């Protein structure tokens, strides 16, 4: 009986030694090309973000306009007076993210008018809910 107790004690000691030597792998949340990824290694920090050229932005806008022109007409949309008044002061300049906006009105303009806007994660039509356009 004593031998069994010593054997169990030795096995328990080995288990504790093995368990304490195991570390949980750290997970890093990275944003690569606008997409959130999770990885064990560090996030790439030397990746230069390529801003789109004016020609690329214009090409995307032309495609959007052609698609909108060929889409069936749904009927008149109600436009609020505030959105038309402030839209003259904004222009599509390649910004895509909430962190690049300065107001809710600006974020709404970019979401409605500019290609590649990534400001409505839950796709409910309200951009930058955490930063600018809270309910």
């Amino acid at each position: 009986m004593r031998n069994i107790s010593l054997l169990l004690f030795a096995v328990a000691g080995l288990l504790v030694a093995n368990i304490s030597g195991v570390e949980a792998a750290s997970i890093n949340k990275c944003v690569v090309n606008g997409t959130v990824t999770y990885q064990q290694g560090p996030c790439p920090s030397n990746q230069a973000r390529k801003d789109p050229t004016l020609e690329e932005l214009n090409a995307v806008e032309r495609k959007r306009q052609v698609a909108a022109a060929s889409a069936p007409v749904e009927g008149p949309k109600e436009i609020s007076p505030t959105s038309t008044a402030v839209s003259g002061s904004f222009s599509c300049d390649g910004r895509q993210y909430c962190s690049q906006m300065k107001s809710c009105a600006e974020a709404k303009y970019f979401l409605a008018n500019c290609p590649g806007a990534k400001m409505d994660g839950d796709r409910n039509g309200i951009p930058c809910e955490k930063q600018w356009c809270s309910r």
Side-chain angles (χ1 to χ4, degrees):
M1 196 63 149
R2 183 168 186 228
N3 289 339
I4 293 175
S5 296
L6 288 175
L7 181 62
L8 287 174
F9 184 73
V11 169
L14 287 174
L15 286 175
V16 169
N18 285 339
I19 290 173
S20 65
V22 175
E23 295 180 21
S26 63
I27 300 294
N28 297 300
K29 179 181 178 182
C30 305
V31 178
V32 179
N33 295 328
T35 304
V36 176
T37 61
Y38 296 91
Q39 58 191 39
Q40 288 182 345
C43 299
S45 60
N46 59 352
Q47 272 189 328
R49 182 174 152 213
K50 179 188 169 284
D51 289 328
T53 64
L54 185 58
E55 291 79 19
E56 292 170 332
L57 290 172
N58 286 334
V60 170
E61 180 64 17
R62 278 192 297 275
K63 286 181 185 177
R64 186 187 69 79
Q65 288 174 350
V66 167
S70 63
V73 178
E74 296 178 10
K77 291 184 179 179
E78 186 177 320
I79 300 174
S80 68
T82 56
S83 66
T84 56
V86 292
S87 65
S89 62
F90 304 127
S91 64
C92 299
D93 56 12
R95 293 181 285 159
Q96 298 178 326
Y97 303 101
C98 293
S99 61
Q100 298 168 319
M101 298 296 116
K102 294 180 181 139
S103 68
C104 179
E106 186 176 38
K108 286 181 179 180
Y109 174 84
F110 271 77
L111 183 64
N113 300 297
C114 303
K118 297 179 174 112
M119 296 181 231
D120 188 14
D122 58 3
R123 295 185 180 140
N124 67 349
I126 303 170
C128 307
E129 291 172 284
K130 292 181 183 173
Q131 296 90 337
W132 297 107
C133 301
S134 60
R135 290 182 185 234

